[in-house]
Amino acid sequence: MKIPPKEMFNAHLLFFVMHGAQIGVGVQGFQRIIYQDAHQDAWISVLLAGIATHIVTFFMIRTLEMYGSNDLYGIHQDIFGRWIGNVFNVIYVLYCFIAFFSVLRNYIEVIQAWIFPNIGEWFLASTLLLIIIYAFTAGLRVMVGVSFFSVILSLWLVLMLGFPLKFASVNNLLPILETDFRSILKGAHSMTFTIIGFEILMVIYPFVQDKKQVSKYAHLSLLATTTIYVAVMVVSLMYYSGGEIQRTVWATLTLFSFISFPFIERFEFIVVCFWMLIIIPNLCLYAWAAYRGTIRLINISSTKFIWLFALLIFLGTLVVQTRFQINGMDTKLSRAAFYIVFLYPILLWLIVIMRKKVMMKK
Amino acid sequence: MIFKRLLDKQQSSPPMEAPPTNVEPIANTAQLFIQAIQAATHYPDDLIVKSLSPTLTLLYINHLVDNQTLNDHIIAPLQVNTTTTPEAVIDTLSVADIQHGSILAEAIDALVHGAALIHVAGYSKVIFASIITRETRALSTPENESQVIGTQVGFNESLATNISLIRRYIISPDLCHKKITIGRRTHTAVSLIYIHGIASEQMVNTVQQRLTDLRIDALIDSAVLAEMIDDNSLSVFPQMLLTERPDRFCDGLLDGKVGIVVDGSSMAVICPQSFSEFFQSQEDQNLRWPIATFVRLLRLAAFFLSVYLTPFYVAALTFHYEVIPQAFIVPLSESRALVPFPPIFEALLLEIIIELLREAGARLPTKIGQTIGIVGGIVIGTAAVQAGITSNILLIIIALSALASFTSPSYMMGNVVRLIRFPIILLAGYWGFYGIMLAFCFLLIHLLRQSSLGAPYLSPFYPPRFKDMRDSIIRMPIPLTAKRPTFTRPTDEYKFNPDEPIKPKKS
Amino acid sequence: MAYRYHEKEGDDEKMKKWLWCMILLVLLLYGCAQTNILERIGLTTLIGYDVGKEKKMQTTAVIREVNPEFQSKVDVITTEDNTSKGNRMEVNRRVSKKVMIGQMRVILFGEALAEEGLHYYIDASLENASVNNGVYTAIVKDQVAPLLEYDYQNIEDIGQHIYRLLEQNIQQEYMISSMLHEVGRDYYAVGRDMAMPIIEKEEELIKLSGIALFKDGKMVSTLPPPDSFYVKVIRDTFKSGIYETTLQSEDLPSILQKKTDDTMTVAFDAIRSKRTMTLVDAKNPEFDLTIKLKARVLEVSPSFDQSHRKSVEALEKAIQHKLTKELARVIAHSQKVESDVFGFGEEYRSHVRHAELTKEKWHSLYKNMKVNIHVDFVILRNGVFE
């Protein structure tokens, strides 16, 4: 598939795309899940998960480089042939669909829990979906732009992490490495749901203008994400005591609860709503990744696709209602994502390498 | 949309501009020629026909030509030397713009454009001596874009004057000027102006293409033209700048932009224009850089304040009473205690009152307009609070946001701010901060979708160009802003060599 | 709609659809979110919990209402029910406006309730998204209801008054801080216990009358207000806080004494205090507690010649001595009641690997903990007149 140069974007924007795709709903409350396993060493788990993303991305880029300007879907079709390749593509499209749904549903849950307990999820879903459709129909350039602004305009939230430090105690981090390594790894594994999103690289790669720079910016964005996650984790660990962090559902949001300015209090209300800007790139990019896969399977226009996609998601929000269902979905997605995002790219690289060797011999 | 469909229909129907009479030659007897002219112009009473000698006939439209020139340079010489051939007539006349033609349509065209026609009996040829005079007002200070420091001259309605103003600022053979006529009925002269060697050829061609492709019957003002050749005419955001300041116009040209001047309109169009440039004033260039930066930031803050302050109030009072600081809660709720309406209604009411005042002030004669401002501001405001239909805190907020919306140097952008506040207030009134954020995201995506002549509207922020940001919402000192904005895709990227100091060191 | 430059066909149709969608939504969703219009709700600014007489709990809510007739009024309503939400319903039945708790500033607990345990109440407050984590908590001597219901002559809004009282004292660092977040944190921490200020009614006034010490969420003992300085010094580093002490004659060095049985009263204002806890022995917990205090002398009576280096040093010594003694007393008291409000346990947990510390285990260790106190007291300056 040839990509017109008009749709391509500069490599440095890849930083914002990947970063924007990674940071989403997970970071609002990942602390308790990681803490369950890794206790005060949870930040090491986060760090390890971050390092894992670097490794996986390294292999992703290796694989993609071998194909030049083809995305994951193209690679599938090339390796496994049209039929089996398409089966893989369907799986990946489904994954994107569920990831999209999960992000949306989790955000709706946050809004309902914090601000509007009795607003219908169908309403929140439809408004968010309309925004996504509006961005999606404008094409990738706009979606990349949304990611860019999403990252830039949310930078101030990082500064807000300074406020909770007033109550921080370094003792909460000690003793370092008390938890055994297995548990820390388990904690890192629990990070999957929070840290995924960078797999968008597999689909967006052909659209990057300067392919040589991809690796630099991809890794930079992962580094930025990991830094932010570790910072949030460290601050949370220092701010909360152990038992409290395990019981706080959205620990990151609660961090902002006591912040007050002369003109405004209860900062988390602002933050919860502002988070919309943070999840929009998530949603856009997952929808777009699903679209790229779908057009390999069937001939569909982007407008038709996104309306259909939105309709399905919308119907989904009517089905998944309770916190249990959402948590169950998140765990399942997280488990699937671990294989799809973390293990599969390395496997794919091996297959591509093997295939290349076989071809060379021939 | 309907308009466009009409245009489409017109395009499909056979063109009406080339009736077969167009090529009709000029009769060689004066009698027939006069009749033909009179028939074509529907026997106007101001068409003057004068017989200068047995062979020469003079036709012109009264008040459209300059009487002095007509008497001194046409009638007088022709009465002195009796000539009988068109060539001799041309030689005799001491008028600069003199042409001849043999087609009737040309003759009529010249006549309505202010030429005196001289017909020589026996020849099917006519001489057009253009001695047009058009009533125009004297140059005055720009009313809508006034500034303290800087030139105090604005464009007026005369294309010739405007062009001469521009040519005064940019004295260069590279200043290109293309004339295009738009309007099937009005034949309005439109000038496309750009600087060769700076402006991108592609953009010039795009503008030219858009102008020549316009099939409308009338063009009265440049604002209409700007709206029609915008990238997205449906958006509330203007994508081209209308300015009445020649210095701003020329500054735009020097940045590689393309300018359009319309005859009869005192506003010139500059494109492409990015969103942030609407918040720049030409005065910023004249102020010292820290002050200019401050003012620009102030304006941008005013934009956000103006758009989001009232919705924020509505949202906080309707849904999120938790975010109101303790010190505010008592004064706020006490000021609201008497108000019978929910905050959204209260805010909309007051906003509409402000809009009414503004509209009334703009429509009324200047002197009464001022009175309306005072009457409205003080009397209605105080009365409304005393009558208990609004809270005085909201009054302050609304006044503040109205004030903030006036800071935009572009009137067009000020209007946008004025309008988009309403849907956001509605959203805030229905869904609180969530609604505000929804509006914010929608606005962001909308702005991202826009382009100006194909150049990104949010440049230099997206796509990010750090060098361009030096002269965007901030203004760095002049030596640091050597680069022309990238989004105009200038052929010559630098204004001066950034490595060399622009002013040699003092010895 | 560029007149010719429409890249995608039917862009206008799409826009039309868009408009329709938005309009439809707005119409459909009219009144979808529940409104809490500021002046139409009763703002609970303070809530007090007591042990109920018949049902599980008794709550006293201070509710601020705004009415067009009289600008604003404060209601104090006491109800009884089994849950706090049930109580809220009860309150709702008694007032004309919807009662909301998003502007709550203070939570008070009755002494009896505190002795029973506050676990449930802390959890319920932390769980509720409308409750700010920055609200202050305090204990009321005896019952909350009488304190709030009394018609004070000079206090118009009792909720506001108590909030200001606590805020002022906590921000000036005269009193230990007890924000809901801190209380929750200490409650759920393994090696730390909660502490809260105690307030009581004194005729027409309300005053801070001490510190409540907790063990496992149950109030076990109290300390008088002057001791809050010592508790604060050991609990965390701080910046200000006036402290006044009387040096007994046996503590006073001879250089400062004019007569042998003189006592000396000193008031100083701690500019900076820094405490360091180090675990010396993990088996039988032993801590070195070093406290560095930099202070400004405010008042000394009887006055002495402060320009002499020797006498100032002697005063420093004397205060050091006095502080050490007092700190030891306060710690010993808390050990006796097994309430580790200072966070020695956290220090222990963070320095002993695989301690598998639980609250119970720590409390048994805490009882026999040894603390070596070192106070380093420096007088930076005195006033502008010597």
Side-chain angles (χ1 to χ4, degrees):
Chain A
M1 246 179 227
K2 258 269 171 266
I3 285 118
K6 223 185 125 188
E7 282 186 31
M8 300 242 244
F9 59 89
N10 270 334
H12 65 260
L13 287 173
L14 187 69
F15 173 87
F16 299 102
V17 170
M18 285 179 69
H19 189 66
Q22 267 189 301
I23 295 200
V25 285
V27 66
Q28 291 180 326
F30 69 119
Q31 291 95 331
R32 63 192 299 226
I33 307 161
I34 320 298
Y35 189 88
Q36 269 167 8
D37 297 314
H39 296 282
Q40 72 269 31
D41 295 322
W43 63 276
I44 300 175
S45 295
V46 179
L47 198 65
L48 283 180
I51 292 168
T53 59
H54 277 285
I55 296 167
V56 172
T57 307
F58 175 76
F59 286 112
M60 276 184 191
I61 294 172
R62 276 305 182 79
T63 318
L64 289 163
E65 269 173 355
M66 274 186 260
Y67 276 88
S69 64
N70 217 342
D71 60 8
L72 179 73
Y73 301 114
I75 294 173
H76 277 156
Q77 287 184 344
D78 183 64
I79 299 176
F80 304 112
R82 216 176 158 73
W83 283 102
I84 304 173
N86 276 349
V87 171
F88 277 90
N89 287 353
V90 168
I91 293 173
Y92 200 80
V93 169
L94 270 179
Y95 161 74
C96 290
F97 178 84
I98 293 168
F100 181 102
F101 180 69
S102 165
V103 172
L104 187 76
R105 192 63 194 82
N106 275 290
Y107 182 63
I108 290 173
E109 178 68 16
V110 172
I111 290 274
Q112 287 180 326
W114 284 91
I115 303 177
F116 296 120
N118 37 23
I119 204 165
E121 45 276 300
W122 64 272
F123 163 71
L124 295 171
S126 52
T127 44
L128 284 169
L129 284 170
L130 280 178
I131 291 277
I132 300 301
I133 291 169
Y134 190 51
F136 187 92
T137 48
L140 184 65
R141 200 187 69 85
V142 167
M143 284 187 265
V144 173
V146 172
S147 318
F148 172 78
F149 279 108
S150 157
V151 174
I152 294 290
L153 296 180
S154 339
L155 276 180
W156 60 276
L157 280 175
V158 180
L159 296 181
M160 288 290 145
L161 284 178
F163 285 90
L165 285 181
K166 199 171 102 185
F167 294 104
S169 142
V170 186
N171 267 352
N172 287 353
L173 295 178
L174 298 173
I176 293 171
L177 282 174
E178 191 189 26
T179 326
D180 60 293
F181 199 61
R182 259 182 72 100
S183 302
I184 292 181
L185 275 185
K186 223 173 137 197
H189 178 252
S190 311
M191 270 300 285
T192 314
F193 179 72
T194 309
I195 214 163
I196 52 170
F198 63 97
E199 70 274 11
I200 189 73
L201 179 67
M202 297 284 266
V203 187
I204 215 163
Y205 182 80
F207 289 84
V208 184
Q209 222 157 37
D210 192 0
K211 302 274 195 292
K212 274 181 207 142
Q213 302 266 352
V214 165
S215 147
K216 180 173 139 199
Y217 287 108
H219 284 290
L220 263 179
S221 85
L222 293 174
L223 190 69
T225 313
T226 313
T227 316
I228 288 176
Y229 281 176
V230 170
V232 172
M233 190 48 122
V234 167
V235 170
S236 309
L237 285 172
M238 294 201 296
Y239 177 81
Y240 298 106
S241 62
E244 201 184 8
I245 206 171
Q246 261 178 308
R247 281 173 180 78
T248 313
V249 184
W250 291 287
T252 309
L253 298 178
T254 311
L255 274 186
F256 299 114
S257 171
F258 75 95
I259 300 177
S260 70
F261 292 105
F263 55 93
I264 200 158
E265 275 187 2
R266 301 302 297 280
F267 215 69
E268 82 271 26
F269 279 72
I270 310 278
V271 173
V272 165
C273 290
F274 191 82
W275 217 272
M276 188 193 294
L277 188 64
I278 297 176
I279 64 152
I280 281 181
N282 272 252
L283 297 176
C284 283
L285 291 166
Y286 273 127
W288 184 79
Y291 168 65
R292 296 296 301 172
T294 314
I295 51 166
R296 300 252 178 190
L297 304 169
I298 41 171
N299 193 7
I300 189 167
S301 78
S302 71
T303 320
K304 224 179 242 166
F305 168 81
I306 191 66
W307 280 99
L308 256 167
F309 188 86
L311 186 71
L312 286 175
I313 294 283
F314 180 72
L315 293 176
T317 49
L318 300 181
V319 177
V320 180
Q321 294 268 358
T322 63
R323 178 82 60 86
F324 280 113
Q325 283 173 319
I326 296 167
N327 286 348
M329 177 183 70
D330 289 351
T331 349
K332 273 179 207 131
L333 172 70
S334 169
R335 221 172 285 156
F338 182 71
Y339 294 108
I340 293 177
V341 178
F342 281 93
L343 297 185
Y344 180 62
I346 299 175
L347 191 74
L348 189 70
W349 175 75
L350 282 173
I351 295 170
V352 172
I353 285 280
M354 303 270 262
R355 208 177 104 100
K356 209 175 177 188
K357 279 206 176 133
V358 173
M359 297 282 264
M360 291 279 264
K361 265 182 199 160
K362 270 182 191 170
Chain B
M1 274 176 285
I2 298 162
F3 189 35
K4 190 198 159 214
R5 256 175 231 142
L6 280 177
L7 283 177
D8 283 348
K9 262 184 210 158
Q10 263 181 22
Q11 277 167 352
S12 56
S13 65
M16 297 164 73
E17 270 146 85
T21 49
N22 248 4
V23 286
E24 192 185 321
I26 287 167
N28 54 6
T29 62
Q31 191 65 32
L32 283 174
F33 173 66
I34 293 165
Q35 264 177 18
I37 292 278
Q38 277 178 334
T41 53
H42 308 289
Y43 305 97
D45 290 337
D46 55 356
L47 179 71
I48 311 288
V49 182
K50 242 186 202 160
S51 207
L52 295 175
S53 67
T55 48
L56 296 181
T57 312
L58 179 70
L59 284 103
Y60 61 89
I61 294 177
N62 202 8
H63 307 309
L64 191 58
V65 294
D66 186 14
N67 280 337
Q68 185 91 38
T69 328
L70 187 71
N71 289 334
D72 295 358
H73 300 281
I74 297 178
I75 299 177
L78 288 177
Q79 276 173 339
V80 173
N81 331 349
T82 44
T83 44
T84 46
T85 62
E87 287 73 22
V89 171
I90 293 171
D91 291 342
T92 317
L93 296 185
S94 55
V95 176
D97 189 356
I98 195 156
Q99 284 169 323
H100 60 85
S102 54
I103 295 169
L104 186 63
E106 270 181 39
I108 293 162
D109 197 44
L111 183 73
V112 295
H113 275 98
L117 306 184
I118 301 153
H119 183 261
V120 186
Y123 294 89
S124 63
K125 231 182 202 179
V126 74
I127 296 146
F128 329 136
S130 184
I131 47 169
I132 185 166
T133 169
R134 274 184 180 161
E135 285 312 316
T136 177
R137 65 186 166 107
L139 288 173
S140 62
T141 52
E143 291 275 311
N144 304 329
E145 292 171 75
S146 58
Q147 59 189 36
V148 181
I149 297 169
T151 53
Q152 301 293 346
V153 65
F155 286 133
N156 68 9
E157 284 76 13
S158 155
L159 183 65
T161 318
N162 292 349
I163 302 281
S164 79
L165 273 175
I166 294 160
R167 287 237 184 236
R168 181 163 82 191
Y169 280 100
I170 303 170
I171 301 164
S172 159
D174 283 340
L175 185 74
C176 300
H177 178 197
K178 280 184 185 161
K179 233 177 185 169
I180 297 162
T181 310
I182 293 176
R184 198 157 40 81
R185 290 195 190 281
T186 55
H187 299 284
T188 311
V190 171
S191 291
L192 179 70
I193 298 169
Y194 61 93
I195 298 179
H196 179 79
I198 302 179
S200 125
E201 284 293 316
Q202 197 197 339
M203 289 219 176
V204 173
N205 290 339
T206 312
V207 178
Q208 199 174 0
Q209 186 71 30
R210 286 187 189 182
L211 287 175
T212 48
D213 282 1
L214 272 183
R215 277 155 213 271
I216 49 173
D217 69 334
L219 178 68
I220 303 291
D221 200 86
S222 53
V224 182
L225 184 73
E227 192 186 323
M228 282 192 295
I229 62 171
D230 260 354
D231 292 33
N232 180 0
S233 305
L234 286 180
S235 172
V236 66
F237 289 95
Q239 293 130 46
M240 291 179 181
L241 179 76
L242 283 169
T243 181
E244 51 174 356
R245 297 196 65 88
D247 53 344
R248 180 140 204 211
F249 187 85
C250 293
D251 197 54
L253 294 185
L254 288 166
D255 274 343
K257 294 180 182 177
V258 183
I260 303 162
V261 186
V262 177
D263 193 16
S265 162
S266 65
M267 301 280 251
V269 179
I270 274 275
C271 55
Q273 181 84 352
S274 75
F275 180 65
S276 67
E277 282 175 321
F278 280 100
F279 298 97
Q280 297 173 6
S281 150
Q282 194 54 36
E283 195 173 13
D284 299 347
Q285 301 296 330
N286 306 340
L287 294 172
R288 306 198 69 97
W289 72 271
I291 297 153
T293 301
F294 169 72
V295 177
R296 281 186 182 180
L297 288 174
L298 190 73
R299 281 191 212 118
L300 200 75
F303 172 76
F304 282 102
L305 206 69
S306 178
V307 173
Y308 288 107
L309 195 62
T310 320
F312 190 83
Y313 168 89
V314 170
L317 258 72
T318 315
F319 297 102
H320 312 292
Y321 68 97
E322 293 99 333
V323 304
I324 305 168
Q326 207 246 355
F328 272 154
I329 203 123
V330 174
L332 258 183
S333 51
E334 283 184 355
S335 78
R336 280 271 310 153
L338 279 172
V339 182
F341 313 119
I344 175 175
F345 194 79
E346 183 196 8
L348 283 176
L349 188 77
L350 218 54
E351 285 281 4
I352 285 170
I353 291 177
I354 289 262
E355 288 307 320
L356 283 178
L357 286 173
R358 193 194 281 208
E359 198 57 25
R363 299 293 149 248
L364 280 170
T366 326
K367 278 176 191 162
I368 310 174
Q370 281 171 354
T371 326
I372 281 289
I374 296 163
V375 169
I378 298 169
V379 178
I380 298 185
T382 325
V385 171
Q386 276 176 356
I389 57 164
T390 61
S391 68
N392 38 20
I393 291 177
L394 181 68
L395 201 66
I396 297 169
I397 288 176
I398 300 264
L400 197 66
S401 55
L403 196 66
S405 74
F406 286 123
T407 56
S408 163
S410 158
Y411 184 69
M412 294 297 237
M413 197 46 96
N415 280 344
V416 173
V417 174
R418 208 171 135 178
L419 181 71
I420 59 174
R421 211 185 296 150
F422 285 96
I424 300 179
I425 291 175
L426 277 175
L427 284 170
Y430 284 124
W431 305 298
F433 290 159
Y434 181 81
I436 295 182
M437 209 50 215
L438 220 52
F440 180 80
C441 290
F442 184 82
L443 218 60
L444 181 71
I445 296 169
H446 182 76
L447 286 174
L448 274 166
R449 283 175 77 124
Q450 302 315 312
S451 58
S452 178
L453 280 189
Y457 194 48
L458 281 180
S459 169
F461 303 105
Y462 181 79
R465 307 237 182 262
F466 292 102
K467 277 216 171 131
D468 290 9
M469 283 182 207
R470 289 178 183 178
D471 188 9
S472 56
I473 56 165
I474 55 166
R475 185 174 86 76
M476 300 285 263
I478 288 162
L480 295 175
T481 54
K483 208 163 168 289
R484 289 182 219 279
T486 324
F487 78 104
T488 60
R489 287 183 239 124
T491 324
D492 178 16
E493 283 195 5
Y494 285 91
K495 292 178 186 165
F496 48 86
N497 189 347
D499 303 324
E500 274 174 27
I502 45 173
K503 87 182 157 184
K505 281 217 174 73
K506 284 174 200 138
S507 50
Chain C
M1 178 174 67
Y3 283 80
R4 302 143 320 278
Y5 282 77
H6 37 268
E7 281 150 28
K8 283 174 215 144
E9 276 298 303
D11 234 359
D12 312 337
E13 291 317 286
K14 228 182 284 164
M15 286 305 293
K16 218 176 192 176
K17 253 189 242 165
W18 258 102
L19 277 172
W20 278 116
C21 278
M22 289 312 274
I23 292 165
L24 267 176
L25 264 172
V26 168
L27 287 177
L28 264 172
L29 308 167
Y30 180 79
C32 221
Q34 198 182 10
T35 56
N36 301 318
I37 298 175
L38 180 64
E39 78 281 359
R40 299 187 189 175
I41 52 177
L43 297 169
T44 311
T45 51
L46 182 149
I47 202 152
Y49 294 102
D50 274 319
V51 182
K53 288 182 191 88
E54 285 145 30
K55 290 193 178 151
K56 230 173 103 193
M57 69 171 83
Q58 182 189 17
T59 62
T60 310
V62 177
I63 297 159
R64 197 184 176 97
E65 280 181 70
V66 184
N67 293 328
E69 304 88 55
F70 30 94
Q71 291 284 287
S72 67
K73 66 168 185 172
V74 176
D75 281 336
V76 180
I77 294 168
T78 307
T79 55
E80 240 179 75
D81 208 332
N82 287 325
T83 59
S84 53
K85 299 291 172 305
N87 272 307
R88 202 157 124 200
M89 288 304 299
E90 283 292 319
V91 173
N92 254 327
R93 287 186 199 120
R94 285 167 174 78
V95 291
S96 59
K97 289 182 175 172
K98 184 163 78 170
V99 175
M100 304 296 284
I101 52 164
Q103 279 284 348
M104 193 161 66
R105 305 284 158 173
V106 181
I107 306 176
L108 296 178
F109 302 102
E111 203 178 340
L113 189 76
E115 275 161 8
E116 248 176 50
L118 297 180
H119 177 188
Y120 173 82
Y121 301 92
I122 291 167
D123 264 10
S125 308
L126 283 173
E127 193 186 294
N128 195 332
S130 325
V131 178
N132 190 347
N133 271 7
V135 301
Y136 290 120
T137 57
I139 302 292
V140 175
K141 204 168 177 189
D142 298 329
Q143 290 260 308
V144 183
L147 176 109
L148 295 177
E149 278 169 347
Y150 183 78
D151 194 10
Y152 297 92
Q153 270 177 4
N154 298 322
I155 301 169
E156 209 168 282
D157 182 349
I158 178 91
Q160 170 103 338
H161 179 80
I162 295 178
Y163 169 63
R164 292 267 180 242
L165 176 79
L166 287 168
E167 188 193 33
Q168 180 256 115
N169 277 290
I170 289 170
Q171 272 179 3
Q172 298 289 316
E173 306 201 70
Y174 297 155
M175 185 40 81
I176 54 156
S177 175
S178 64
M179 279 191 184
L180 179 62
H181 159 65
E182 290 169 285
V183 168
R185 179 194 64 195
D186 292 351
Y187 178 74
Y188 283 111
V190 177
R192 224 172 138 102
D193 283 301
M194 315 187 283
M196 288 185 205
I198 303 177
I199 58 174
E200 85 179 272
K201 176 174 161 296
E202 195 187 49
E203 287 169 14
E204 289 294 324
L205 291 171
I206 294 171
K207 68 161 188 183
L208 289 168
S209 68
I211 299 174
L213 304 182
F214 284 78
K215 178 192 172 189
D216 283 345
K218 290 191 177 87
M219 183 174 139
V220 285
S221 175
T222 59
L223 284 171
D227 284 350
S228 78
F229 175 80
Y230 305 116
V231 177
K232 260 198 89 67
V233 162
I234 313 174
R235 256 165 91 95
D236 37 32
T237 58
F238 73 109
K239 286 184 213 76
S240 62
I242 293 178
Y243 170 68
E244 176 241 47
T245 187
T246 307
L247 301 173
Q248 300 300 321
S249 58
E250 63 263 29
D251 298 334
L252 271 179
S254 53
I255 189 167
L256 295 174
Q257 269 175 317
K258 282 172 191 149
K259 281 184 265 161
T260 41
D261 55 344
D262 252 2
T263 60
M264 189 176 211
T265 316
V266 186
F268 60 85
D269 163 1
I271 304 227
R272 244 164 299 159
S273 105
K274 191 170 183 289
R275 65 109 212 236
T276 35
M277 270 180 198
T278 34
L279 183 67
V280 197
D281 184 6
K283 264 229 177 88
N284 309 305
E286 185 181 338
F287 288 90
D288 272 349
L289 180 68
T290 314
I291 288 162
K292 280 187 184 155
L293 261 174
K294 286 186 180 154
R296 181 174 64 142
V297 171
L298 298 175
E299 272 180 51
V300 184
S301 107
S303 63
F304 70 99
D305 186 6
Q306 290 185 32
S307 55
H308 270 293
R309 200 169 139 201
K310 271 221 177 110
S311 53
V312 171
E313 271 173 9
L315 183 67
E316 282 177 357
K317 272 257 166 58
I319 295 173
Q320 267 174 30
H321 191 71
K322 171 81 180 170
L323 278 176
T324 315
K325 222 166 75 183
E326 294 288 332
L327 290 173
R329 179 179 60 78
V330 170
I331 292 173
H333 179 80
S334 78
Q335 276 179 298
K336 205 176 84 197
V337 297
E338 294 181 29
S339 169
D340 181 8
V341 293
F342 313 110
F344 284 105
E346 279 299 295
E347 189 67 23
Y348 183 85
R349 184 197 56 75
S350 60
H351 285 94
V352 180
R353 278 173 184 276
H354 306 291
E356 309 282 319
L357 206 64
T358 58
K359 260 203 150 139
E360 274 166 40
K361 195 171 156 193
W362 174 243
H363 281 140
S364 64
L365 283 172
Y366 181 65
K367 223 181 339 187
N368 305 314
M369 173 189 81
K370 233 185 106 190
V371 183
N372 312 316
I373 304 166
H374 311 282
V375 180
D376 184 9
F377 187 86
V378 181
I379 293 174
L380 288 180
R381 61 186 81 91
N382 43 35
V384 288
F385 182 78
E386 283 190 349

